[in-house]
Amino acid sequence: MCGIIGYVGKKKNAIHVLINGLKALEYRGYDSAGIAYMENNKINIIKEQGKIKNLEEKIDFKIKSNLGIGHTRWATHGKPCVINSHPHKVGKITIVHNGIIENYEELKKILIQNGYSFKSETDTEVICALIDKLYNEKNDMIQVLDKCRNLLKGSYALGIINDDQPNTLYAIRKDSPLIIAIGENENYISSDVPAILDYTNKYILLDNNEIAKLTDSKIDIYNINNEIITKKIKTFEWNIEKTLKNGYDHFMLKEINEQPEVIKDTLLPYISNGYKSLLNNMPCFKNYEKIDIVACGSAYHAGLIGKYLIEKYADIPVNVEIASEYRYKKLFINNKTLVIIISQSGETADSLAALRKAKEHNIDTLAIVNVVGSSIAREAKDVLYIKAGCEIAVATTKAYSAQVAMLGLIALNIAKSKKKISNQKIDNFIQDIDTLINEMKKLLKNENYLKIAKNIYNKNNLFFIGRKIDYALAMEGSLKLKEISYIHSEAYPAGELKHGSISLIEEKTPVFAIVTDKSIAEKTISNIKEAKARGAEVILIITDELDREADFYDEKIVIPKINDLFQPLLSIIPLQLISYEVAKLRNCDIDKPRNLAKSVTVE
Ligand code: F6R
C-alpha cells in the first residue's frame, strides 16, 4: 500500500533507479505513480494515473539526475488522479508519503491562515506546506523535521527533498515502513527491500520517529533527541532470483508451487530431533489458559484453523478475532492469556494496533510473521518467523500455508507443555511430513483444475461450504476466488446455508463443498444434498477415505487423507489453483488485483 523509493548518488541515474524501484513495489497495490528528480538544481515532477508504464511514457530517460524520490499511491484522501498523486511540492519542499495524517484538516486551516493554498485533496500536500513553513522559520532541516514529528498525528513514512540542498535526501517515519539502503557512493530509501535488491542487500531499519539525512557518501540517523546514533546494518537474505517469476506466468502461480518447500523450511527447524525438539526455540506456553488469535484477511483464516488445532490437541480455548475489530473492543484477557498476532507483512496497521493494545494491557504477545524485522515482529514479545520467502502476488498463498503449518506446530507445543499429548503421537505427526510434501507436490500437478475453472469462470455468484476446519478453508477458498477473479462468492458453515442464503441457490449455482473431517462428514454431505436439490452445481473436495460414488456432486477432486494437522495444507491447494485458473480465464490482473494492496499500512 503506497510505495516509496528515493535515491541520492552520482553512480546511477536517479530516474532509472526510481522507475525500477517503483516497478518492484508494484505488488503493494497502487492507482497512480510519480517521480520528482533534481536536474540542474531544479526539481521536476512527473505524475500519472494508472500503471507505471503510463508514467514511463512521459519521462525523458536521457535526462541525468543524482537525486530523486518516487511513489506509487493507493488513494486514501481524494480520488486517484494526477493532482492527488505524489510527489507533492510546496515552496522549496517536495515529498512522497505513505500513511495517513489524522490532524491534516486542522493543520490545513492554520496553513491557509498563513497564506498557503492547496491544489490537491491530500493530507500529503499539507505535510509539504507544513515543512516549507517551518523551514522558512528555522532554516535547519533536522530542527524542522523534529518540530514536524511533534505536530503530525497519524502514520507516515516520508521521503523529502529541499530545493536548497540538491544533493541531500531526508526521510522520517512513524508507523509506516521505511528502510535506508546502503550502496557505495550512493544511498537509497525504500518502503520495502525488493525495490533496492538490484543494487544492494545492505540496509538499516529506520525506527519510529527517527530522522535520516542521506547524501551520496553519508547517512546520518537522528533519534528523538536529535542526536546522531549508530544503527545496525542488516543484510537481506532473500536473493533477487528468488523474487523473480522463474518461468511461471504469474508470481501467484510460482508462490503456490513453492508451498512444499516453504512448509518444509518452516517446520524443519523445530522438529529435526522428533518430539525431543519440541519446546525448543518456542516461547513457554505452560501457563496460558486462553489464547486470542488476531489477524486480518487470509491470516485471520489461518488463525481459524489454528483455533481448531489448538483447541483439539492442547485443550485450551482459543478466540480468533479480526484485528480491525479487536483493536476497538472490550478485551477479556488476563495474565494467563496469550495474544497471537499473525501477519505476513508484519506491517498491517490494524494488526499492529491490536498488538499494541494487548501490550498496553501487559499481556504476553507472540507474532507469527514472514517479513523479518517488520514492525509487528519487532514489537511483539516473541516472534516466530514462517519461512515463506518474498511473497510478491497480492493474494497470499504460500504465506497463508506457512502460517497454518506454524499454528499446527504451536498446537503441538502447547499440547506437550500441558502434557496433553504423548511423545509417540507427536512423532507420528512429524513422520507424516515427508508424505505431506510428496502429496502436496502431486496435488499441484492435478490436471482437473482448469476443467473446473472452465465450468465456472463466467458465473456471477457462488458458494463455498464446509464444517469446522473445512469451513475455515471455505472462507479462504472464497476470498482467494473473489479477490483475484472478481466473482462474488460467499463462504458458509454448511449447516447454516438453509437459514437464509440457500434462497440464492438456483439452477447451476456453483457450490464448492469441502469434506475432509470424518467426524462431521455425513452432516456436511446432507447439507450438500440440500443445495444439490435446489439446482446447485456441486464441486466436491473430499479426502480419499470419505470418497464415494454418488449423485450429490458434479465434479470431484479427491485429496489424500493425512493427519488433522497437515490436512488443511493439502485441501487448500485445489482451491488456490482453481481460483488462479478462473482469474486467468477472465483475463484478470492476477498478481495485482484491482483496489488491493499487499501491505495494508492504513487503518
Ligand atoms: C488475501 C490477503 C490479505 C492479507 C491481509 C493481512 O490474499 O493477502 O487478506 O492476508 O491483508 O495481511 P498481513 O498478513 O500482511 O497482515
Side-chain angles (χ1 to χ4, degrees), residues 100-104 106-107 151-156 174:
I100 287 187
I101 302 303
E102 285 156 13
N103 59 338
Y104 82 104
E106 232 170 88
L107 294 168
L151 293 173
L152 295 177
K153 293 206 178 88
S155 59
Y156 48 86
K174 181 174 163 270

Side-chain angles (χ1 to χ4, degrees), residues 271-289:
I271 46 127
S272 50
N273 198 12
Y275 76 88
K276 294 193 194 106
S277 334
L278 253 60
L279 309 184
N280 294 339
N281 311 319
M282 283 263 166
C284 174
F285 294 114
K286 212 164 57 207
N287 295 328
Y288 301 124
E289 289 173 0

Side-chain angles (χ1 to χ4, degrees), residues 54 120 124 132 141 194 306 337 433 494 500 510 513 525 555 570 578:
N54 304 350
S120 76
T124 306
D132 184 67
M141 277 301 278
T337 310
I433 290 184
I525 288 171
E555 295 287 347
L570 295 179
I578 293 169

Side-chain angles (χ1 to χ4, degrees), residues 178-465:
L178 200 70
I179 61 162
I180 311 293
I182 306 162
E184 265 175 45
N185 298 323
E186 55 186 1
N187 292 306
Y188 311 77
I189 61 171
S190 170
S191 296
D192 206 348
V193 179
I196 48 83
L197 265 188
D198 270 345
Y199 317 116
T200 176
N201 64 351
K202 301 253 173 299
Y203 69 102
I204 294 169
L205 278 171
L206 198 62
D207 278 308
N208 267 350
N209 294 314
E210 287 176 349
I211 298 170
K213 178 181 179 185
L214 290 76
T215 61
D216 56 357
S217 54
K218 200 161 177 244
I219 298 172
D220 287 331
I221 310 280
Y222 296 79
N223 67 10
I224 192 84
N225 303 318
N226 287 349
E227 298 150 347
I228 293 186
I229 51 170
T230 309
K231 300 271 297 185
K232 191 160 172 236
I233 297 179
K234 295 177 177 273
T235 306
F236 191 70
E237 285 168 16
W238 303 339
N239 63 33
I240 190 74
E241 268 73 37
K242 286 213 163 186
T243 64
L244 296 176
K245 281 189 200 152
N246 273 351
Y248 287 98
D249 284 350
H250 296 94
F251 282 111
M252 182 175 177
L253 187 60
K254 172 184 169 246
E255 289 160 7
I256 291 173
N257 277 283
E258 282 171 351
Q259 289 179 115
E261 200 187 327
V262 162
I263 297 305
K264 217 176 9 184
D265 291 351
T266 299
L267 294 178
L268 283 186
Y270 300 94
I271 46 127
S272 50
N273 198 12
Y275 76 88
K276 294 193 194 106
S277 334
L278 253 60
L279 309 184
N280 294 339
N281 311 319
M282 283 263 166
C284 174
F285 294 114
K286 212 164 57 207
N287 295 328
Y288 301 124
E289 289 173 0
K290 182 191 166 229
I291 295 182
D292 280 1
I293 297 182
V294 190
C296 303
S298 295
Y300 167 76
H301 299 156
L304 290 172
I305 292 184
K307 170 186 167 74
Y308 285 107
L309 298 176
I310 297 169
E311 287 184 344
K312 175 164 183 178
Y313 291 103
D315 208 16
I316 59 169
V318 180
N319 172 40
V320 191
E321 302 261 4
I322 288 174
S324 54
E325 294 290 319
Y326 192 82
R327 61 184 291 189
Y328 294 116
K329 74 183 275 282
K330 183 170 174 184
L331 303 188
F332 294 91
I333 48 182
N334 59 34
N335 61 2
K336 295 209 178 321
T337 310
L338 172 67
V339 173
I340 301 182
I341 308 283
I342 311 173
S343 175
Q344 184 285 128
S345 61
E347 299 294 349
T348 302
D350 285 317
S351 306
L352 184 57
L355 168 70
R356 288 179 181 159
K357 179 166 175 175
K359 285 175 69 181
E360 275 162 25
H361 285 75
N362 288 322
I363 301 300
D364 285 352
T365 54
L366 166 65
I368 301 177
V369 172
N370 189 35
V371 178
V372 177
S374 54
S375 302
I376 293 175
R378 279 180 289 150
E379 292 190 26
K381 176 170 175 275
D382 289 300
V383 58
L384 293 173
Y385 284 111
I386 55 169
K387 296 281 166 46
C390 195
E391 194 178 60
I392 299 280
V394 166
T396 181
T397 51
K398 60 175 180 170
Y400 163 83
S401 292
Q403 288 161 352
V404 170
M406 183 57 87
L407 285 158
L409 201 60
I410 289 173
L412 286 189
N413 277 276
I414 304 178
K416 180 160 170 65
S417 67
K418 291 187 171 288
K419 302 197 171 35
K420 297 275 181 192
I421 194 167
S422 67
N423 290 338
Q424 182 57 51
K425 179 116 192 165
I426 295 171
D427 273 352
N428 291 346
F429 281 124
I430 294 175
Q431 275 153 21
D432 274 351
I433 290 184
D434 285 344
T435 312
L436 168 70
I437 303 299
N438 287 335
E439 296 300 346
M440 285 179 90
K441 287 183 184 159
K442 282 193 220 153
L443 270 177
L444 287 165
K445 293 205 187 94
N446 189 314
E447 280 166 7
N448 284 332
Y449 308 133
L450 181 57
K451 181 172 163 243
I452 293 171
K454 281 184 178 161
N455 285 341
I456 61 169
Y457 82 99
N458 53 6
K459 303 280 180 177
N460 296 323
N461 188 31
L462 48 78
F463 286 90
F464 287 76
I465 59 171

Side-chain angles (χ1 to χ4, degrees), residues 479-509:
L479 180 63
K480 255 348 38 120
L481 183 74
K482 65 187 145 196
E483 65 183 334
I484 61 167
S485 75
Y486 317 144
I487 299 179
H488 174 256
S489 79
E490 281 189 55
Y492 260 89
E496 182 64 14
L497 204 59
K498 60 176 158 299
H499 294 285
S501 302
I502 201 164
S503 66
L504 291 169
I505 298 216
E506 48 189 22
E507 212 44 49
K508 300 258 179 258
T509 302

